[in-house]
Amino acid sequence: MTKIFVAYPALPADIGQTIEATKRAFGKAVDITTWKRDDLSGQPVIAPILEAISDADIVVGDITDLNFNVVYELGYGIGLGKRALPIISRAFAHSQQEAQEVGIFDTLLYEQYATANDLLGLLNVAQPGRRFATDYPLDPLPLYIVLPPVLTDDANQLVTRARRAGLRPRTYDQFDQARLSATDAVRAVAISSGVVLQLLAPEMKGAKEHNLRTAFVAGISHALGKPTLLLKKGNWPVPRAMADFG
């Protein structure tokens, strides 16, 4: 039996209702799991989700409105070598421009649905299998840093201190590389010995796009077991996917 994990945002609520209706409609034909379960009391927020992704053959993520947690979970699945299937609901507006600015998903093939029956049909024919190579030899540049769109003193100090420590970092800088593709992100993490990521406060320029890239890279890095340093400045709530890594 094919096991499928479906990641989706809490809002809009209609998306979750459609996905949960699909889960109920499948019955025992296909094993579908989502983050919405009744047996999670007392457990760390992200742990059972990562366990479900690890146990799945296919990881599906609704990217109608790009969401930090969903992007992290798709990255985690890809890092584990799972088949990743992005889906988009035709019932809601999808910002292609935002997807292009973030990168990662703008060149990945995705499927569209509007009803539970649509999604049922898509998942019925989905086939598991690896879609991204993750087995790369380590590179002499051991540290991977995803830089924010505006290089602040904090970002510059990250790179400077890494160099002083003899770590010779490689960086993603959107001015040198306009977009971060999924393939480039996977390879950059896989060949590195460690990853450093800086989350931006919501009011900072380009914060949403940068944090979504960070979510994807963090998911890959955690799945591959890379030492990962997540930095956050200021007093603002972190996304669910990061709550257990603080």
Side-chain angles (χ1 to χ4, degrees), residues 140-192:
L141 300 178
L143 194 65
Y144 183 49
I145 301 175
V146 178
L147 294 174
V150 178
L151 292 182
T152 61
D153 289 336
D154 291 336
N156 284 324
Q157 285 180 20
L158 280 179
V159 177
T160 300
R161 291 182 179 182
R163 287 174 177 159
R164 286 177 179 171
L167 295 177
R168 298 178 58 213
R170 70 170 50 79
T171 62
Y172 167 75
D173 184 340
Q174 72 177 71
F175 290 101
D176 295 331
Q177 184 181 348
R179 53 179 299 282
L180 179 63
S181 72
T183 302
D184 288 344
V186 172
R187 183 179 183 278
V189 173
I191 64 177
S192 300

Side-chain angles (χ1 to χ4, degrees), residues 48-102:
I49 295 173
L50 300 186
E51 290 173 5
I53 293 172
S54 299
D55 197 39
D57 301 302
I58 301 170
V59 179
V60 178
D62 188 291
I63 60 168
T64 306
D65 182 18
L66 287 172
N67 170 274
F68 188 100
N69 296 315
V70 173
V71 172
Y72 174 87
E73 289 155 20
L74 279 168
Y76 191 83
I78 287 172
L80 292 178
K82 309 291 184 178
R83 162 79 190 281
L85 177 60
I87 57 174
I88 292 176
S89 172
R90 295 193 305 273
F92 293 89
H94 169 69
S95 175
Q96 193 64 38
Q97 180 180 351
E98 182 180 64
Q100 290 173 348
E101 290 174 355
V102 172

Side-chain angles (χ1 to χ4, degrees), residues 1-243:
M1 179 186 296
T2 301
K3 294 183 177 181
I4 301 175
F5 177 83
V6 184
Y8 64 87
L11 297 173
D14 283 357
I15 286 179
Q17 290 170 4
T18 299
I19 291 172
E20 294 297 329
T22 304
K23 182 172 72 173
R24 292 191 296 272
F26 256 118
K28 296 183 179 180
V30 176
D31 185 356
I32 296 182
T33 304
T34 69
W35 60 266
K36 193 171 184 179
R37 290 163 49 188
D38 297 326
D39 59 344
L40 301 181
S41 298
Q43 296 190 53
V45 175
I46 193 66
I49 295 173
L50 300 186
E51 290 173 5
I53 293 172
S54 299
D55 197 39
D57 301 302
I58 301 170
V59 179
V60 178
D62 188 291
I63 60 168
T64 306
D65 182 18
L66 287 172
N67 170 274
F68 188 100
N69 296 315
V70 173
V71 172
Y72 174 87
E73 289 155 20
L74 279 168
Y76 191 83
I78 287 172
L80 292 178
K82 309 291 184 178
R83 162 79 190 281
L85 177 60
I87 57 174
I88 292 176
S89 172
R90 295 193 305 273
F92 293 89
H94 169 69
S95 175
Q96 193 64 38
Q97 180 180 351
E98 182 180 64
Q100 290 173 348
E101 290 174 355
V102 172
I104 301 169
F105 297 108
D106 59 337
T107 58
L108 286 182
L109 294 177
Y110 58 84
E111 300 286 355
Q112 298 188 54
Y113 72 99
T115 66
N117 282 336
D118 291 343
L119 188 53
L120 197 66
L122 294 175
L123 299 185
N124 259 324
V125 299
Q127 296 295 318
R130 194 181 202 119
R131 292 298 184 271
F132 286 87
T134 58
D135 188 14
Y136 292 95
L138 289 178
D139 185 274
L141 300 178
L143 194 65
Y144 183 49
I145 301 175
V146 178
L147 294 174
V150 178
L151 292 182
T152 61
D153 289 336
D154 291 336
N156 284 324
Q157 285 180 20
L158 280 179
V159 177
T160 300
R161 291 182 179 182
R163 287 174 177 159
R164 286 177 179 171
L167 295 177
R168 298 178 58 213
R170 70 170 50 79
T171 62
Y172 167 75
D173 184 340
Q174 72 177 71
F175 290 101
D176 295 331
Q177 184 181 348
R179 53 179 299 282
L180 179 63
S181 72
T183 302
D184 288 344
V186 172
R187 183 179 183 278
V189 173
I191 64 177
S192 300
S193 298
V195 176
V196 177
L197 301 167
Q198 179 186 9
L199 292 171
L200 296 183
E203 66 270 15
M204 297 190 72
K205 184 177 181 180
K208 182 178 181 181
E209 293 78 13
H210 170 78
N211 288 347
L212 287 168
R213 295 187 199 104
T214 295
F216 187 71
V217 172
I220 297 167
S221 185
H222 286 150
L224 292 178
K226 302 288 183 177
T228 307
L229 178 62
L230 290 157
L231 300 172
K232 167 184 170 288
K233 185 177 182 179
N235 185 21
W236 48 277
V238 297
R240 179 190 70 214
M242 296 293 101

